[in-house]
Amino acid sequence: MTELISIIVPIYNVEEYLKDCLDSIQKQTYQNYDCIMINDGSTDSSREIAETYLVDSRFRLINQDNQGLSAARNTGFRNLKEESSFVAFVDSDDFITNDYLETLISAVKSDISVGFSVARLHHVKNGQVTDLPEFSGQESIWSAEQTMKELLMTTRTSFFPVAKLFKKELIEDFKFSTDYHLAEDALFLTEVLLETKCKSVFIDKPIYYYDHREGSATTSVNSHVFDTIEVYKIIIPKVYQCFPQLKPELVNRESWSYITVYDKIIFTDSTEYKKEKTQLRKWILSHITEILRDPYFTSFRKIAILSLRISPWIYRQIVGLNK
């Protein structure tokens, strides 16, 4: 008897992408799963699309008023089946390889001290599928500290719950914070890791298509854009207290949080966030020595930061070369 995997899929106004997402779940080689679709008050045809999958007994649909991504995921937690052994996350505007579940569960069962498995993302833009990069398929056991370092650096994994498979007993007592709309998943993963001190297992294989699309929560600019900075103000001291050896990575992430928010808002209407732009630029320039010495920042980024001392306009032009 294979263990039951619960897949939590929050849904909100993704009619253009939802079918690809749910089709990719339906095509899984590992078939003993329970797909919990949470329709978070969609106003487009997302609900109707989700309903067409209810002919498959492995799919369930829960409808609720719009409360946000974290609340939708928490609804998924509250509706896990008692017999579920593992929990996976898939965002409704992304899609997965056919062996997504099979790859993750085979790895997480390899060591009793492992709390979750981790695989690579494959980044695509606006649904344009590209070939998967070369991969070794090798597995590596990461300690809690190594896992935390990898989450912070995001070179081999991400600070998102996707492309991971969690033992249900590990996370069933945790919740996603509804106080934030960005980086709330990073806060969730940090709390799980610091409180459980579990190991993870990394599989060098891309199995999750992460779609960077215009207008998504991670690319759009509104008042929630500053959540990233606020969340890292919580994460950094917590991690440092537990893993002081990770100070270089934490210093990097603090700088990154300010830089990434600044980069987003400088490409908005020039009349918006004028005060915030000034404050962010001041913070970045006051930490320029740290940034220039940081081995995790690329030469391109350091050149851009140097140009910010001269002119925000020049900085914008340089950063725009990478967009």
Side-chain angles (χ1 to χ4, degrees), residues 4-252:
L4 180 66
I5 299 175
S6 290
I7 310 171
I8 296 176
V9 184
I11 298 170
Y12 179 70
N13 288 356
V14 285
E15 59 184 5
E16 294 180 48
Y17 315 97
L18 185 56
K19 188 176 186 304
D20 287 340
C21 172
L22 299 179
D23 281 352
S24 71
I25 294 174
Q26 204 164 43
K27 293 175 182 176
Q28 290 300 293
T29 54
Y30 188 95
Q31 298 187 6
N32 190 25
Y33 62 81
D34 170 43
C35 182
I36 311 169
M37 304 178 290
I38 302 98
N39 172 41
D40 190 42
S42 295
T43 56
D44 63 1
S45 63
S46 293
R47 175 175 177 170
E48 289 73 22
I49 294 170
E51 286 173 344
T52 65
Y53 288 82
L54 297 179
V55 295
D56 187 331
S57 61
R58 298 172 299 179
F59 285 74
R60 292 188 280 149
L61 177 62
I62 299 171
N63 294 298
Q64 64 182 32
D65 293 337
N66 180 243
Q67 300 172 48
L69 177 60
S70 289
R73 285 172 172 163
N74 291 337
T75 297
F77 277 159
R78 291 194 297 273
N79 286 275
L80 295 175
K81 288 187 174 180
E82 186 176 349
E83 61 268 33
S84 293
S85 299
F86 299 94
V87 181
F89 296 89
V90 177
D91 288 345
S92 54
D93 53 354
D94 298 328
F95 49 100
I96 55 181
T97 61
N98 293 353
D99 61 348
Y100 180 75
L101 296 180
E102 185 177 353
T103 299
L104 290 170
I105 196 168
S106 64
V108 78
K109 293 167 65 176
S110 64
D111 188 316
I112 193 171
S113 65
V114 166
F116 60 98
S117 53
V118 183
R120 288 188 182 274
L121 302 182
H122 180 51
H123 297 271
V124 298
K125 189 172 182 178
N126 294 325
Q128 298 299 309
V129 179
T130 55
D131 293 336
L132 294 175
E134 291 186 6
F135 56 90
S136 68
Q138 293 181 341
E139 297 180 9
S140 305
I141 301 294
W142 290 344
S143 67
E145 182 175 330
Q146 177 69 13
T147 303
M148 192 73 248
K149 181 177 180 178
E150 296 288 347
L151 291 174
L152 288 167
M153 291 297 93
T154 69
T155 51
R156 292 194 284 182
T157 181
S158 71
F159 231 154
F160 309 131
V162 301
K164 299 172 180 68
L165 183 67
F166 301 86
K167 290 180 178 176
K168 177 186 172 185
E169 62 189 21
L170 181 80
I171 64 170
E172 60 185 344
D173 294 329
F174 290 89
K175 290 183 179 180
F176 287 87
S177 173
T178 56
D179 294 334
Y180 306 100
H181 290 74
L182 288 174
E184 76 290 346
D185 35 18
L187 182 58
F188 171 82
L189 289 173
T190 298
E191 290 174 345
V192 169
L193 196 56
L194 296 187
E195 290 192 31
T196 66
K197 302 292 194 307
C198 69
K199 295 179 183 177
S200 67
V201 55
F202 170 71
I203 314 103
D204 182 30
K205 184 177 183 180
I207 59 173
Y208 189 97
Y209 290 88
Y210 185 83
D211 196 354
H212 298 263
R213 58 183 180 84
E214 296 177 9
S216 67
T218 54
T219 59
S220 58
V221 177
N222 51 44
S223 59
H224 300 308
V225 72
F226 305 101
D227 284 358
T228 300
I229 294 172
E230 296 307 312
V231 168
Y232 275 96
K233 286 180 180 179
I234 299 172
I235 288 175
I236 289 170
K238 284 187 174 184
V239 175
Y240 183 72
Q241 183 177 12
C242 190
F243 301 123
Q245 301 90 335
L246 297 183
K247 183 177 179 180
E249 289 75 22
L250 294 170
V251 169
N252 171 268

